[in-house]
Each structure stands twice: as structure tokens, then as C-alpha cells.
Amino acid sequence: MSTINVNGQDHEFDGSPDMPLLWFVRDVLGLTGTKYGCGMALCGACTIHVDGTAMRGCTTPVAVATSGARVTTIEGLSSDGKHPVQLAWKELNVAQCGYCQAGQIMQAASLLKDRPKPSDADIDAAMAGNVCRCGTYTRIRSAIQLAVVKMGERA
């Protein structure tokens, strides 16, 4: 039996350590904001944070999270949906179909944690692995830039 901390709460796990973390958060915990896209870490729909670093939940085994790591899903990014990235996404109406947006937001939040004032090239590089079939890339970049402003207002 292992303990996995997801969104600040400990959960017991007695399954295979090779199980993808995505299945644990979706199927075991019922946190369905993190999406399954490709199953090969190519699209970014399943992006979660492990100790604050963006990772693809579809290929990250549960074993990574059983050693005291802290997992954060879109549901745990902020308790009230007011993370600067979430606010910027909403303000600029980024989502079209919305399927990829949780992964996009999680990737953007990780970028801004590591690089609070990214250049357009930094944004493009960090977000390159997150696919949006609706093509909202321009709005995504604008929202990340707006989130930088919102983070400055919080400080």
C-alpha cells in the first residue's frame, strides 16, 4: 500500500506502480479535469504537476508519486479558480472546444512558476508540446502574457 498526495490530500493506492498517474487521478479519484488525449505524451491534454513541474500523466507511472511527491491536477491549481492563468484564460475567452485547456493551463502555470516574465520565444517553447486542435494558440499566448500582468498585480 502506498500513499499518493493529490491536490493536498493523501490517498491510499495498492495497485500496480506502473499504472499511469492519469488513470489514478481520473478513474480512482474521479478528478476528470485532466484529459486523456493520445496516451503517448505527445498532445499535453493530460498535463499535471508533480512537485510543481509539468508532466504528462498518461506516461508518468504512479510510482513517481508514491515517494512523497505532491501531484496537482487542474482541480487543485487553485481552490477558487482564481489562479492568474485561469483568470487570464477566462478573461480572454481562450477555450473553443475546451478539451485541451486544462493541460494548456497546467503547462502555462508551470512555465510561469519557473520563468515569471517569459518572452514570446519562451512561451512558444514551453507550450510547443501542447496541441490545440481548434488552433487557439494566439489566444493562449495572449492569456499567458496577461497572466504575467495579473501575477504582478498580486505581488
Side-chain angles (χ1 to χ4, degrees):
M1 183 84 60
S2 300
T3 301
I4 301 174
N5 186 287
V6 178
N7 299 333
Q9 294 184 1
D10 287 338
H11 302 275
E12 297 299 318
F13 178 73
D14 64 354
S16 169
D18 295 329
M19 173 191 233
L21 199 47
L22 175 63
W23 299 143
F24 180 72
V25 299
R26 284 186 60 83
D27 297 345
V28 176
L29 301 183
L31 300 172
T32 57
T34 305
K35 304 297 186 212
Y36 173 81
C38 67
M40 299 183 297
L42 300 173
C43 73
C46 65
T47 303
I48 57 175
H49 294 174
V50 177
D51 287 336
T53 300
M55 300 184 95
R56 303 300 190 246
C58 70
T59 58
T60 301
V62 166
V64 168
T66 59
S67 59
R70 299 180 67 78
V71 176
T72 305
T73 67
I74 189 69
E75 293 90 348
L77 186 60
S78 72
S79 61
D80 57 4
K82 293 189 178 178
H83 185 281
V85 175
Q86 291 171 308
L87 292 173
W89 240 253
K90 185 176 179 181
E91 187 173 325
L92 296 182
N93 198 25
V94 172
Q96 190 164 321
C97 85
Y99 194 82
C100 71
Q101 296 306 305
Q104 299 275 1
I105 289 169
M106 295 301 285
Q107 186 69 43
S110 181
L111 164 66
L112 295 179
K113 180 186 76 61
D114 295 337
R115 195 175 288 269
K117 295 183 180 181
S119 66
D120 284 349
D122 293 333
I123 294 170
D124 292 346
M127 301 304 291
N130 288 71
V131 177
C132 175
R133 291 185 55 99
C134 299
T136 64
Y137 300 111
T138 303
R139 286 186 280 181
I140 289 169
R141 185 190 297 147
S142 296
I144 293 170
Q145 292 165 338
L146 178 59
V148 169
V149 172
K150 290 184 176 300
M151 289 171 62
E153 292 170 357
R154 279 183 144 181

